[in-house]
Amino acid sequence: MPKFLATLFVLIFVVTGALVVVIDDQPKLLRESYKTIIFGSHMAGWMILGMVSNYLWDLFKSGKSLADIRLPNLLLPVLVSPIVFFGIWSIWKDQHQEISFALNLVAFQNGFFWQVVLSKVGPVIPPTVSGVDEKPPVGG
């Protein structure tokens, strides 16, 4: 199963990359119609590649090998990928949807550092007036 998923990912990644090049050379009307879907998919591929790279980096740094890959641990980042991808998508939309290799690198980087991106997402706990957490009195 993991080999099938890896093969499927590589196939989608290569096809979307080739289509980005082909579509960028087409007339504006055709290019604008498909650019959002194809380049967005390609950026998502770069982001997922970054997430997988981060998993492998951590795996090898802990002294393990490819035989120690666990599919559930590898799929965890993919489950949160829409949250991480939103930041990349917003940057691309702000750049008037220009196709840029730099955005692919940003997508890879966001994928690689997905834990850091998500650590910034969370509830904001307002400080108390005195700046110290107030605790209720014991026994009351």
Side-chain angles (χ1 to χ4, degrees):
M1 181 69 156
K3 287 184 181 182
F4 170 74
L5 291 175
T7 304
L8 182 63
F9 173 78
V10 169
L11 180 65
I12 292 171
F13 188 70
V14 169
V15 168
T16 57
L19 287 175
V20 165
V21 173
V22 169
I23 293 238
D24 200 38
D25 291 335
Q26 298 302 314
K28 185 174 182 175
L29 181 62
L30 179 65
R31 183 175 62 228
E32 296 303 319
S33 301
Y34 296 104
K35 182 169 65 170
T36 302
I37 295 169
I38 293 173
F39 190 63
S41 300
H42 193 64
M43 283 193 307
W46 276 98
M47 181 193 63
I48 291 171
L49 184 64
M51 291 174 164
V52 170
S53 297
N54 176 272
Y55 175 76
L56 294 175
W57 177 271
D58 291 342
L59 186 76
F60 296 146
K61 281 191 73 169
S62 66
K64 296 181 180 178
S65 69
L66 287 175
D68 297 313
I69 292 176
R70 300 292 173 251
L71 189 59
N73 294 345
L74 193 57
L75 291 179
L76 177 66
V78 176
L79 293 175
V80 297
S81 63
I83 299 168
V84 177
F85 186 70
F86 180 74
I88 304 161
W89 185 261
S90 298
I91 291 170
W92 184 50
K93 287 292 194 178
D94 289 345
Q95 289 188 349
H96 308 293
Q97 297 183 353
E98 291 298 320
I99 292 176
S100 164
F101 184 71
L103 282 174
N104 292 329
L105 295 178
V106 170
F108 180 88
Q109 181 180 14
N110 274 15
F112 192 86
F113 296 111
W114 72 271
Q115 293 108 331
V116 175
V117 172
L118 283 183
S119 71
K120 302 299 180 192
V121 177
V124 177
I125 302 172
T128 60
V129 176
S130 65
V132 179
D133 289 338
E134 298 177 14
K135 296 181 182 175
V138 177

